[in-house]
Amino acid sequence: MKTVDARTGWTWVTRGFALFRQRPTELVSLFFLWMMLTQLLKFIPVAGQFLSLFLFPLFSVGLMQACLLVENEQKITPNLLFIGFKSHNKVTLLGSGAIRILAILIASLLSDALADGEVEAFVKILQNAGPVDTNALQEALPFKAILFFVLIYLPFAMSFWYSVPLIVWQRMPLMKSMFYSFFAVLHSWKAFIVYVLGLYGVIILVSPFAIIFAQINIYVAALMLAALSFLVFVVAFCSSYPTYTDIFGKPDEEAQSAA
């Protein structure tokens, strides 16, 4: 495990773009398939909202493997998305999914309690019959609850960042992978701050395109904004791959086949 400097954070963003440019059509198709499956899962009553989170580690194995194959100049196929379901580590990966759900529930409950029920008050306004008072809605926005949620969930997010690739490529147990992930992010925190700011910078750069299209047609603008947001998301995921290889190294051939 290495520690990298702040400048590396920006190179992660640029290398994500470089990976995307090598196989844009194949990567977009793979991510679109994953997004569609995730949306379909949400149609399942009650459990659907949790299933997408529970299965995310399994799907992310295929998405990470896609980035590795692009770097190796190999072909990507749609069935790559499901290799996590065939992995020897699938039980551990499902455990990671369960902990993600638990972490979100803990952060949500604690943040609402610390914010004196802001979220509950906001939901009540949304559920009121009749037209929504815009001023009341703005005043009720749960800013404090959102801040508390971010602060509470941040350590969990740090523990999850490298957890899946460490489970699959380094064959670590779940808790060990979360431990190493947390301290890997902590030791290179400056690089991660630059990395996050860089991704936000990309979002800000593409935002004016939506305003331009809004002058033509609001529906066209909404469609273009959704498409641009999706492309930025794909690039952001591609950029997460070099964050792993810079700190833990590229997976060896044995680890690649184990995935």
Side-chain angles (χ1 to χ4, degrees):
M1 184 172 70
K2 298 178 182 177
T3 301
V4 296
D5 59 21
R7 289 176 297 180
T8 307
W10 177 244
T11 68
W12 291 339
V13 179
T14 58
R15 286 165 65 189
F17 272 102
L19 279 174
F20 178 73
R21 283 199 304 269
Q22 287 180 251
R23 293 280 195 280
T25 306
E26 293 172 31
L27 285 169
V28 165
S29 300
L30 192 68
F31 276 81
F32 187 76
L33 174 61
W34 168 66
M35 186 182 74
M36 288 297 98
L37 290 172
T38 300
Q39 293 304 313
L40 286 172
L41 286 172
K42 291 180 180 178
F43 283 104
I44 300 172
V46 185
Q49 299 299 318
F50 299 100
L51 269 175
S52 56
L53 275 173
F54 183 57
L55 297 177
F56 173 75
L58 292 176
F59 283 123
S60 65
V61 173
L63 301 175
M64 289 186 312
Q65 196 75 5
C67 294
L68 175 61
L69 291 177
V70 170
E71 187 180 47
N72 291 342
E73 299 183 351
Q74 294 176 274
K75 189 178 179 181
I76 298 172
T77 56
N79 62 350
L80 189 66
L81 187 63
F82 305 102
I83 63 168
F85 292 83
K86 304 173 186 176
S87 171
H88 298 300
N89 305 291
K90 58 179 171 288
V91 174
T92 307
L93 292 166
L94 288 172
S96 175
I99 292 178
R100 288 165 196 262
I101 294 171
L102 185 62
I104 289 175
L105 289 175
I106 291 171
S108 299
L109 291 171
L110 287 178
S111 59
D112 189 36
L114 291 169
D116 301 320
E118 273 188 356
V119 176
E120 187 179 348
F122 182 69
V123 171
K124 282 181 180 178
I125 292 175
L126 292 176
Q127 290 176 340
N128 281 340
V132 176
D133 186 337
T134 308
N135 293 328
L137 193 63
Q138 289 177 345
E139 289 176 7
L141 283 172
F143 293 114
K144 202 160 46 167
I146 293 169
L147 177 61
F148 280 128
F149 179 87
V150 171
L151 292 175
I152 294 167
Y153 188 73
L154 184 60
F156 290 110
M158 293 166 66
S159 300
F160 296 141
W161 186 257
Y162 293 120
S163 180
V164 170
L166 288 174
I167 289 169
V168 175
W169 288 334
Q170 306 239 5
R171 297 173 290 279
M172 286 189 184
L174 177 56
M175 290 304 167
K176 184 178 179 181
S177 72
M178 292 177 65
F179 176 85
Y180 271 80
S181 176
F182 178 85
F183 284 102
V185 175
L186 184 63
H187 289 163
S188 298
W189 65 272
K190 292 179 183 177
F192 274 93
I193 288 176
V194 174
Y195 172 60
V196 171
L197 291 175
L199 290 176
Y200 274 112
V202 172
I203 294 169
I204 291 168
L205 283 174
V206 301
S207 297
F209 288 100
I211 299 171
I212 294 169
F213 283 108
Q215 305 303 315
I216 304 170
N217 185 289
I218 190 65
Y219 297 107
V220 174
L223 183 63
M224 291 306 299
L225 183 60
L228 287 170
S229 300
F230 177 69
L231 289 175
V232 170
F233 173 76
V234 176
V235 170
F237 197 98
C238 288
S239 69
S240 70
Y241 173 73
T243 74
Y244 175 84
T245 56
D246 277 358
I247 291 177
F248 291 99
K250 187 175 178 178
D252 56 34
E253 290 186 12
E254 185 183 349
Q256 292 178 34
S257 60

